[in-house]
Amino acid sequence: MSGSAVSGSSHAADESRGPRTTRQWVILAVAAVVLAALCLVAGRWQWNRSEARNAEIDLVNANWSAPAVPVDEVLDGPGAVVPGNEIWQQVELEGQYVTDATVLLRNRPVGGQGGYHVLVPFEARLPGQDIVMVIDRGFVPLGADASRPDAVPAPPSGTVTVTASLRADEPASDRHAPPGQVQAISTEQVLAAGPDGGAWAEGRTVGAYGALRAEDPAPGTMLAALPKPDTDPGSHLSYAFQWCIFAIGSIGGYILLWRRERGALRGETVSAGDLLLASGDGSDADGVRARRPARDRRPTAEDEEDALIEAQLR
């Protein structure tokens, strides 16, 4: 009974409101088109992110396991930057660590564990010249007071052969860090954070750093190895399709609303199922099956009950 009352009041409200004007339909149409356009823009953005992510994954897969090459085949001298297609390429460097200039990288957890990356400048000997490259030697966990690690294992001393994956220098960070620590692997900032500053390496640095893969000779104490780069494509592609569906739904919702009101003026009931399935006998010129007006149908038990109650109230 209550359902019939609500339905009746809703029907009465629709009748009192009357059909929408042409101006109202134009406003709704513009709103639907604008909403659909915004959804398509968002979908395009997610599509581009998916394509960029796939390119990153292809680069990792191509370079991560590629044989190591001498560093001067990629970085030919001071001031060189790593080419985009050489990121993650393994290179070999021969030289020595500048252990006194060790710096810690903050806020880079590994495997969900908080800690620090150990950054040590490395003087690599090239034919006729030297370069200085920062090596990310690995990970150490937080110490007892969480402000520093309990211990930082030293790198091998003397002449060392380092195998590392090349990474592009990160943009300098404007976030504060305690002495001897940095918030980004920017060569300039890493060297400046050392006890003696970075003047000793001036004119010999490169626009790249190395993620350690191996050292020869091996150090006395190994650091936790850096993980392989993430190759999860993420959800960008599915988000792109979802935004496209929202765009279609915006236009489809407008069409459904228009056809429902048009059908109501002709005494018809139009549903979303009618729009999708209407065909064959009984369909009108627009392909929507018209149902018999409510006044021609046989009264239901609920209708009879409502009529009796109304008669008693009168």
Side-chain angles (χ1 to χ4, degrees):
M1 180 178 67
S2 59
S4 298
V6 171
S7 176
S9 62
S10 175
H11 183 68
D14 288 343
E15 289 181 346
S16 63
R17 178 183 57 79
R20 291 177 175 84
T21 64
T22 301
R23 181 174 180 272
Q24 290 174 321
W25 282 116
V26 170
I27 293 174
L28 287 174
V30 171
V33 170
V34 170
L35 179 59
L38 293 175
C39 290
L40 290 176
V41 169
R44 181 65 178 176
W45 176 65
Q46 289 289 355
W47 177 273
N48 290 338
R49 293 189 67 187
S50 175
E51 292 293 295
R53 181 59 182 154
N54 289 337
E56 292 176 358
I57 293 171
D58 291 342
L59 188 63
V60 170
N61 292 334
N63 291 345
W64 178 257
S65 301
V69 300
V71 66
D72 56 305
E73 290 189 10
V74 182
L75 304 173
D76 57 4
V81 297
V82 57
N85 62 344
E86 298 287 357
I87 293 175
W88 296 114
Q89 171 63 49
Q90 291 188 83
V91 295
E92 287 186 351
L93 308 90
E94 184 175 334
Q96 60 185 13
Y97 283 108
V98 185
T99 307
D100 293 342
T102 298
V103 171
L104 299 177
L105 173 68
R106 298 170 55 85
N107 300 322
R108 297 288 178 91
V110 171
Q113 181 182 12
Y116 302 88
H117 291 224
V118 179
L119 310 178
V120 187
F122 188 85
E123 293 182 305
R125 293 191 290 269
L126 300 185
Q129 57 187 335
D130 294 346
I131 61 171
V132 175
M133 178 188 293
V134 173
I135 302 296
D136 184 348
R137 294 193 62 240
F139 177 81
V140 289
L142 295 172
D145 64 356
S147 64
R148 291 186 63 86
D150 289 332
V152 178
S157 59
T159 300
V160 183
T161 300
V162 168
T163 303
S165 293
L166 283 178
R167 301 294 309 278
D169 227 18
E170 297 179 359
S173 174
D174 57 2
R175 293 179 295 166
H176 171 73
Q181 299 181 18
V182 292
Q183 299 277 12
I185 311 180
S186 164
T187 297
E188 182 180 353
Q189 283 191 331
V190 172
L191 296 177
D196 300 325
W200 63 271
E202 187 174 349
R204 295 190 293 158
T205 60
V206 292
Y209 72 93
L212 183 66
R213 302 288 294 274
E215 293 169 322
D216 184 23
T221 303
M222 300 289 293
L223 282 74
L226 299 173
K228 181 180 178 180
D230 181 24
T231 55
D232 182 2
S235 303
H236 303 302
L237 188 59
S238 63
Y239 289 157
F241 286 123
Q242 288 177 22
W243 281 114
C244 290
I245 291 173
F246 294 156
I248 295 172
S250 173
I251 301 300
Y254 172 83
I255 295 173
L256 176 61
L257 181 65
W258 178 75
R259 301 192 74 166
R260 276 182 172 173
E261 183 159 314
R262 183 184 176 193
L265 294 175
R266 297 190 310 215
E268 302 170 355
T269 302
V270 181
S271 67
D274 292 326
L275 295 178
L276 295 175
L277 303 177
S279 61
D281 296 337
S283 298
D284 62 13
D286 295 320
V288 178
R289 185 182 301 277
R291 297 181 181 175
R292 297 181 60 189
R295 63 178 178 273
D296 294 336
R297 62 179 174 82
R298 182 184 298 276
T300 64
E302 189 177 15
D303 293 336
E304 294 174 354
E305 179 184 355
D306 290 342
L308 289 173
I309 291 175
E310 291 175 1
Q312 290 174 359
L313 290 176
R314 288 196 296 269

